[in-house]
């Protein structure tokens, strides 16, 4: 009753679409099916949730549990017909690790014409997250969407007036060709596929294509808006700005930050930021600029990164595009330097107990990435199944699983040495976030109040992170450029296998996933 009263009061006081269920459980259904869609004006068969790209918003209030029913209705033989759903940034508990959704790490995929219910306990987490298929590169075909956890007692709520579904900004890269065809080409020539377009809230344009109307975010003069920006791409790096409107960052990857104002934010695949903007400009239409990088446009003549944008429209402004030029953002604007971010709740990084160095290398002209000279291959028996069957040391896993077995309740430091590659690999850790001791954006070492997040850029001047092994589980740690992940740029961090064996008790439905998947004709997998 107390939870209901608090949540109802919060909904009354602030513009907000979420009401906490009395039981603390919120249910959603995702029907995963093929549908012909044209986000950038070019029709193609897609893999989407509930018939839309991006998928519907999953929303909750702090402390709730999500119960997400996934119905696999995929039929298109040109794409993967099994599926999984992972909830990026959400810390699954040890007891619930089997609902984490990482194909061949914590689960087998869901077969066609089958269903599975994911139980996702949110605990004390709040902020901006997202969900997507974790099977191969399937989310390239469209299976991605936002997951927002609202905080009724947000300590930064005094900074904004509006935070609702209308203020979610989803960035994505879009391909007009199916992921399986693109993956086969990549495996043949080693050239990472280059997107045809970039989308903002599911809408984009490509060079020479139709003038699809841009997405619009409506604002009212004088109000302050919390924009939750999510880079749901499988490769592209987006640089976000809004003409004449500074961006005050108040969250990074689900961690509240000390307010930090910039003009431009570079966002790697998988990263999320909440920013506050004030609608204090003359009533008009303004460009939200989201140009991207992701390979040479010479390899895909459809690509024109300048076309990646949307409209910020003041109430009372004409229903028209802005009259100002298309730009990549303010020429002399202040860009975010990741190392400048500070968490609102500063937690010093503990002294490391375990030190690991990960060296990322690529085999020239091949779709093979190595981590410490090992290219990850998904095992036929998921890592969690192996642990529950008794595996508890590194030698119990195949070398190609690139699995690190870590002791309980320790601090692990992972160092990525400097490289000649200035392109950032967005490394994402499941089940945890980490302290960014050294960002590739700076030479500074910060152990006092570093930002904590779950996706960090690796490359250039080097990166150092630390995380705790208090949350036992087999946690995927991979590049969020999913083409690179498919090429082997991944590891599995197994924290405290003994606790996993004692505390993780999968459901009958989970136990049925692998037999059903393994019995499928390979064409249906």
């Amino acid at each position: 009753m107390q939870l209901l009263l608090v949540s109802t009061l919060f909904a009354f006081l602030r513009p907000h679409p979420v009401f906490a269920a009395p039981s603390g459980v919120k249910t959603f259904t995702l029907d995963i099916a093929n549908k012909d869609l044209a986000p950038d004006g070019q029709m193609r068969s897609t893999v989407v949730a509930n018939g839309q790209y991006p998928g519907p918003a999953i929303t909750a209030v702090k402390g709730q549990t999500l119960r997400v029913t996934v119905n696999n209705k995929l039929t298109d033989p040109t794409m993967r017909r099994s599926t999984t759903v992972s909830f990026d940034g959400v810390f699954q508990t040890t007891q619930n690790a089997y609902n984490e959704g990482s194909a061949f790490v914590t689960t087998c995929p869901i077969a066609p014409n089958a269903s599975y219910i994911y139980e996702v306990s949110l605990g004390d987490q709040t902020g901006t997250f997202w969900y997507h298929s974790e099977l191969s590169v399937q989310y390239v075909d469209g299976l991605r969407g936002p997951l927002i956890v609202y905080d009724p007692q947000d300590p930064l709520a005094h900074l904004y007036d509006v935070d609702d579904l209308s203020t979610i900004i989803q960035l994505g890269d879009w391909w007009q060709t199916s992921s399986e065809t693109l993956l086969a080409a990549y495996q043949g020539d080693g050239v990472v596929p280059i997107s045809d377009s970039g989308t903002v809230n599911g809408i984009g344009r490509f060079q020479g294509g139709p003038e699809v109307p841009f997405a619009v975010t409506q604002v009212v003069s004088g109000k302050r808006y919390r924009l939750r920006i999510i880079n749901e791409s499988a490769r592209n790096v987006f640089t976000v700005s809004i003409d004449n409107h500074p961006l005050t960052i108040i969250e990074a990857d689900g961690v509240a930050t000390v307010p930090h104002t910039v003009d431009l934010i570079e966002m790697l695949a998988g990263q999320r930021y909440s920013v506050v903007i004030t609608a204090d400009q003359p009533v008009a239409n303004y460009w939200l600029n989201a140009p991207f990088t992701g390979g040479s446009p010479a390899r895909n003549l459809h690509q024109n990164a300048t076309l990646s944008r949307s409209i910020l429209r003041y109430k009372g402004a004409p229903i028209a595009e802005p009259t100002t030029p298309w730009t990549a953002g303010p020429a002399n604007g202040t860009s975010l330097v990741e190392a400048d971010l500070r968490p609102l709740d500063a937690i010093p990084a503990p002294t490391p107990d375990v030190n690991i160095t990960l060296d990322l290398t690529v085999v020239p002209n091949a779709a093979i990435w190595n981590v410490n000279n090992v290219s990850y291959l998904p095992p036929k028996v998921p890592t969690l199944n192996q642990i529950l069957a008794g595996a508890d040391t590194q030698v119990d896993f195949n070398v190609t699983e690139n699995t690190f077995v870590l002791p309980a309740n320790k601090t692990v430091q992972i160092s990525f040495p400097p490289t000649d590659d200035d392109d950032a690999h967005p490394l994402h850790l499941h089940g945890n976030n980490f302290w960014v001791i050294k960002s590739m954006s700076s030479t500074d070492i910060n152990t006092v109040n570093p930002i904590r997040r779950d996706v960090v850029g690796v490359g250039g001047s080097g990166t150092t992170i630390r995380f705790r092994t208090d949350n036992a589980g087999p946690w995927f740690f991979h590049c969020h450029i999913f083409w690179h992940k498919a090429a082997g740029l991944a590891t599995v961090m197994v924290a405290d296998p003994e606790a996993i064996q004692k505390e993780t008790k999968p459901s009958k439905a989970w136990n049925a996933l692998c037999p059903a998947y393994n019995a499928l004709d390979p064409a249906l997998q």
Side-chain angles (χ1 to χ4, degrees):
M1 181 61 72
Q2 183 180 9
L3 177 62
L4 177 61
L5 290 173
V6 170
S7 300
T8 303
L9 177 61
F10 176 62
F12 177 76
L13 292 175
R14 303 187 51 74
H16 204 293
V18 177
F19 295 86
S23 65
V25 174
K26 193 162 187 188
T27 61
F28 289 87
T29 298
L30 299 179
D31 291 327
I32 311 304
N34 303 113
K35 185 173 182 179
D36 288 344
L37 295 173
D40 64 359
Q42 177 67 46
M43 192 67 70
R44 59 154 294 189
S45 179
T46 65
V47 175
V48 291
N50 297 6
Q52 63 185 73
Y53 166 77
I58 295 176
T59 61
V61 169
K62 180 180 179 179
Q64 284 190 301
T65 293
L66 297 173
R67 185 172 293 150
V68 182
T69 299
V70 173
N71 300 314
N72 183 354
K73 300 181 178 182
L74 296 172
T75 58
D76 190 330
T78 67
M79 292 176 281
R80 294 294 291 260
R81 280 181 274 181
S82 293
T83 194
T84 64
V85 174
S86 178
F87 305 90
D88 265 26
V90 175
F91 308 155
Q92 296 281 15
T93 63
T94 305
Q95 294 84 354
N96 203 41
Y98 64 94
N99 275 317
E100 198 272 332
S102 293
F104 308 111
V105 178
T106 57
T107 189
C108 280
I110 305 166
N113 301 312
S115 299
Y116 183 77
I117 300 174
Y118 292 94
E119 294 269 355
V120 185
S121 177
L122 298 172
D124 290 331
Q125 283 190 275
T126 61
T128 307
F129 309 95
W130 64 301
Y131 64 89
H132 61 82
S133 170
E134 194 75 45
L135 177 62
S136 184
V137 291
Q138 188 181 55
Y139 88 76
V140 164
D141 295 314
L143 181 41
R144 27 184 158 162
L147 193 168
I148 309 299
V149 185
Y150 296 101
D151 185 354
Q153 298 177 320
D154 181 5
L156 296 173
H158 63 284
L159 296 178
Y160 56 88
D161 304 304
V162 182
D163 176 23
D164 58 23
L165 296 182
S166 74
T167 62
I168 301 172
I169 307 295
Q170 299 174 79
L171 311 174
D173 40 18
W174 190 253
W175 281 264
Q176 296 170 0
T177 305
S178 75
S179 63
E180 287 297 286
T181 300
L182 294 167
L183 182 60
Y186 175 39
Q187 292 169 336
D189 60 18
V191 178
V192 179
I194 294 168
S195 70
D196 293 282
S197 58
T199 61
V200 181
N201 285 347
I203 298 174
R205 293 182 183 179
F206 65 94
Q207 187 68 29
E211 293 187 355
V212 180
F214 291 114
V216 174
T217 300
Q218 300 272 1
V219 297
V220 175
S221 291
K223 290 190 178 293
R224 302 163 302 167
Y225 293 80
R226 177 176 183 162
L227 305 182
R228 296 175 182 266
I229 310 173
I230 309 169
N231 185 354
E232 298 173 0
S233 70
R235 178 180 187 180
N236 290 357
V237 180
F238 287 83
T239 300
V240 179
S241 64
I242 302 177
D243 287 355
N244 299 350
H245 292 77
L247 312 174
T248 298
I249 299 169
I250 61 170
E251 178 217 347
D253 293 2
V255 175
T257 68
V258 174
H260 182 66
T261 301
V262 297
D263 297 303
L264 304 102
I265 302 176
E266 182 179 272
M267 298 185 64
L268 307 181
Q271 290 187 327
R272 297 91 62 201
Y273 288 100
S274 281
V275 304
V276 174
I277 65 165
T278 301
D280 59 0
Q281 296 298 299
V283 171
N285 293 291
Y286 297 86
W287 289 119
L288 185 153
N289 311 294
F292 59 84
T293 58
S296 171
R299 292 184 178 274
N300 186 341
L301 298 182
H302 280 173
Q303 189 179 105
N304 179 348
T306 309
L307 296 173
S308 180
R309 57 187 55 249
S310 68
I311 298 170
L312 184 77
R313 174 169 294 150
Y314 279 62
K315 183 178 180 179
I319 308 302
E321 293 183 5
T323 57
T324 52
W326 292 7
T327 72
N332 299 309
T334 300
S335 296
L336 170 64
V337 176
E338 182 184 53
D340 292 341
L341 291 174
R342 296 290 180 266
L344 191 64
D345 180 16
I347 302 174
T351 302
D353 305 295
V354 178
N355 288 277
I356 299 172
T357 297
L358 297 182
D359 190 18
L360 315 182
T361 56
V362 64
V363 175
N365 303 312
I368 301 173
W369 274 93
N370 292 311
V371 181
N372 291 0
N373 297 315
V374 176
S375 185
Y376 176 84
L377 291 174
K380 291 186 177 180
V381 178
T383 308
L384 179 56
N385 301 58
Q386 295 181 59
I387 294 168
L388 295 177
D392 59 7
T393 64
Q394 204 147 320
V395 297
D396 292 328
F397 302 94
N398 193 299
V399 171
T400 56
E401 295 174 54
N402 222 354
T403 299
F404 294 77
V405 177
L406 305 172
N409 305 314
K410 300 296 183 183
T411 299
V412 178
Q413 176 166 296
I414 298 182
S415 300
F416 297 90
T419 70
D420 295 331
D421 184 1
D422 287 332
D423 290 334
H425 293 277
L427 268 289
H428 170 53
L429 179 62
H430 291 228
N432 304 268
N433 61 16
F434 41 74
W435 291 271
V436 181
I437 304 303
K438 185 201 169 297
S439 168
M440 68 174 288
S441 68
S442 171
T443 58
D444 295 342
I445 304 294
N446 181 4
T447 61
V448 177
N449 58 353
I451 189 63
R452 303 183 304 278
R453 65 185 317 161
D454 56 69
V455 182
V456 70
V458 170
S461 66
T463 303
T464 303
I465 65 171
R466 292 179 192 170
F467 66 92
R468 293 284 298 170
T469 59
D470 301 330
N471 188 27
W475 307 124
F476 215 4
F477 187 40
H478 61 82
C479 182
H480 225 299
I481 298 173
F482 259 46
W483 306 107
H484 288 171
K485 190 192 85 162
L489 211 169
T491 67
V492 179
M493 299 290 162
V494 174
D496 191 3
E498 183 177 345
I500 300 169
Q501 292 164 352
K502 289 180 179 178
E503 299 177 28
T504 305
K505 306 296 182 184
S507 65
K508 290 182 180 179
W510 181 87
N511 282 320
L513 288 173
C514 283
Y517 178 79
N518 292 333
L520 291 172
D521 183 287
L524 295 173
Q525 292 182 334

